[in-house]
Amino acid sequence: MSRFTIHDLAATIDARAAAGGEVSYTRKLLDKGAEHCAKKFGEEAVETVIAAVENDRAHLIAESADLLYHFLVLLKARGVKLEEVEAALDKRTSMSGLEEKASRKGD
């Protein structure tokens, strides 16, 4: 059995973004603009935090899936590729987390 990855999700979002809004929730979100996508991502982030605080494992897993989906839709709305985020993470992992965070103080 193959394993579903975040790259599979990104590819699904790309495909659905090319579909019509009448058949694609992803397309409907994108048609409402990046600001709307950001708000949806924020809502999912709050719901994920609540599930974590309530220590509800199943709810946390479900909300985490929603969060990742809406995060990738937001990236799509702003024209940011998952590979760009991965490159930023790769660059950061070349040093300790504390060193990396200190290096961003000037940003």
Side-chain angles (χ1 to χ4, degrees), residues 11-103:
T12 298
I13 288 168
D14 285 344
R16 291 183 180 166
E22 64 282 350
V23 295
S24 170
Y25 177 64
T26 300
R27 181 74 261 158
K28 283 184 178 188
L29 288 171
L30 292 168
D31 286 347
K32 291 181 179 181
E35 294 81 9
H36 179 77
C37 294
K39 288 176 186 175
K40 289 297 293 178
F41 174 68
E43 290 171 16
E44 295 302 334
V46 169
E47 291 172 6
T48 302
V49 168
I50 291 167
V53 169
E54 292 177 345
N55 198 24
D56 184 335
R57 188 175 197 282
H59 191 206
L60 177 58
I61 291 168
E63 290 300 340
S64 295
D66 290 346
L67 181 69
L68 289 174
Y69 165 78
H70 282 281
F71 174 62
L72 292 179
V73 171
L74 176 58
L75 292 181
K76 177 84 173 162
R78 286 295 187 206
V80 176
K81 301 247 183 245
L82 179 58
E83 292 79 8
E84 293 174 277
V85 176
E86 290 175 322
L89 288 169
D90 183 54
K91 184 177 175 184
R92 290 179 182 186
T93 59
S94 65
M95 61 182 84
S96 80
L98 294 175
E99 290 172 320
E100 189 280 325
K101 188 167 177 105
S103 75

